[in-house]
Amino acid sequence: MGVCSDVHTSGELLVTSAAVTAADAEASFDALLSAEKRRLYGIAYSILRDPSEAEDALQEAMLRAWRGWRTVRSEDARATWLVRICVNHCINRRRGLSLRRSTPVNDQAAAPTDPRFDARLVDLDRSYRALSPKQRAAVVLHYHHGYSISECADLMWCGAGSVRTHLARAIASMRKEMTHA
Amino acid sequence: MPEKLPSEDDLRHDLQRYFEITTPSDLPRRVAEMNAHTLTRAPRPRRLHVALAVFGALSALVITGATVHLLDSRNTATPSAATALLQITPGQAQSGGGSAGSAADGVAAGPLASGNGGSGGTSGLTSGSGAQPKAAPATVPGVPLTVGSPPSATIERSVSAAYTVPPGAFLSSFQGVISRAVSLGGYVVSSTTSPDATGRIVSGGVTLKVPTAKIADFLNGMPSTFAASAIDFGSVDHTAAFVDVNARLGSARTHLAALDGLLAKTYNLGDITSLEQQIEAVQTEIDTDQGQLNVLQASVDFSTATVQMSERGATVSPPSKPGPVPGGLATGWSNAVAVTGAVLEGVVSALPIVVLAVILGLVAWLGSRWARRRRDAAFGL
């Protein structure tokens, strides 16, 4: 798809095939993005815990993805590639926000007004916000989106052992925080 | 009693509930409309930030330079104590009090008497033997001002006066002042003139040597159309120098007379030769002392009068000082250029290190790029 395999001797045909290729690339990108944007936005929001930051991060990540879209050779890996770009960009952005701001981002954010958000979830929310960006990413991907440890390692561009470490430390930290609350 | 830790299973369950509740169910409009077309046309705030940062840095440089310039000009505008002693405000001059003063604008040049009052004359201008410079009050018509007693033979006098003359009368006034000084036995040392924007000479100054005994006549003889804006006097006491030179001169003359007496009584050729050599040395000494005495006498015989004149209302063309804001901005820009030049000089000085850093950065970038491609290849992308 999008790649003209035939060798054309006519310049007009070459131009036409290039245009078709660009249109195909845009169509395939849009199709995949529209299918994945809800999941991508959920990941971005869960890592950053800020709607506007999540929007910006997703926009920048997808712009990068679109620029490198034609370099992706395997169509099957494109969805994973999008998630990986999004996760790593959100981790980096969250790290940058932590460095730029003296106080942790959104520590003062109000708890959701949902009646299901009980006191236990309030404590969990506070302990989750205290996690590092990579710990957040590991927790979100593994516990919320159901990725396996190896899949999380692929998405976070680290080893499976590192993912396990991030998860273990995150769980320990949250348990400790919730106990002290 | 320590609280029980939540189990991992409970925590996982809570996490699932937490993410289900907190994850937004509706996509924001920007995300919902996101596609390849909107992404490529989205604003890039980073460039705006860079532009704003550069603009801010330049503004800070210019403002800093302007502030420095304004502070410098303020410090420069503060008159020194010595200047304040010699320059009297118009208000003080018009009061006609006993303190030293200078004439105010609009006060016509009037008679200046050189009476014998010594110090403490009605105008407060004294000609005592002190070497401190004295300033003159305004010359008010009908109110004779005194320069004190006739200058002693050992006081060197100087006066600096500024007048405004009627429009169009600068050259005739200028010539008139010079003519009056010459008629009193003085002469011109130097003079300068300045044109206005149209090229017509409207202001200038002349430095004159006027016989000290006539200096009061010279100043009193200024036309009534002249308005004095400043008259400052100064004096230097040469009494000690006169006493010293006269003493040496008297001693040398006595010595010379004694040698002449001895020479008249000597018939030995050797003694005569020796006496003539001594007489020659003493005569040389007398000539030198007499020369010093002549210089001192000339300095006290003639006073230095510096007269500045300008036509009333004339705009003197000499470089007009820019206003504080344009001047400050211009100087600020100059300072910014200077600072930039200094920074560039520093960069050039550190060029070897910069080149090394660039090479290292390039290697690091190429390495990261290679690693990224290898990573993508590892995932079959």
Side-chain angles (χ1 to χ4, degrees), chain A residues 30 37-38 45 49 55-56 59 66-67 73-74 77 81 84 116 118 120 125 143-144 157 175 179, chain B residues 3 5-6 12 14 17-19 22 25 28 30-32 34-36 40 42 44 375 379-381:
Chain A
D30 288 345
K37 64 174 56 169
R38 185 173 295 277
Y45 178 82
R49 307 302 299 177
E55 285 183 43
D56 292 342
Q59 182 177 348
W66 168 238
R67 283 175 180 165
R73 294 188 294 273
S74 172
W81 188 65
R84 184 184 302 142
R116 295 173 293 171
D118 52 21
R120 187 176 178 83
D125 180 61
Y143 291 119
H144 181 45
W157 186 237
R175 288 178 71 192
T179 304
Chain B
E3 192 173 344
L5 289 174
R12 287 172 188 171
D14 289 340
R17 282 178 54 216
Y18 171 72
F19 286 125
T22 57
S25 56
R30 183 155 52 125
V31 175
M34 192 180 291
N35 55 37
T40 52
R44 299 176 190 174
R375 180 189 64 190
F379 282 92
L381 301 178

Side-chain angles (χ1 to χ4, degrees), chain B residues 244-257 259 276-294:
Chain B
D244 182 48
V245 173
N246 279 326
R248 280 192 280 121
L249 202 54
S251 172
R253 282 175 178 157
T254 305
H255 191 188
L256 182 62
L259 290 175
E276 284 184 343
Q277 287 176 349
Q278 291 185 48
I279 289 171
E280 186 179 354
V282 172
Q283 187 64 50
T284 303
E285 186 181 343
I286 290 173
D287 291 344
T288 303
D289 291 341
Q290 187 62 51
Q292 290 182 4
L293 191 62
N294 291 343

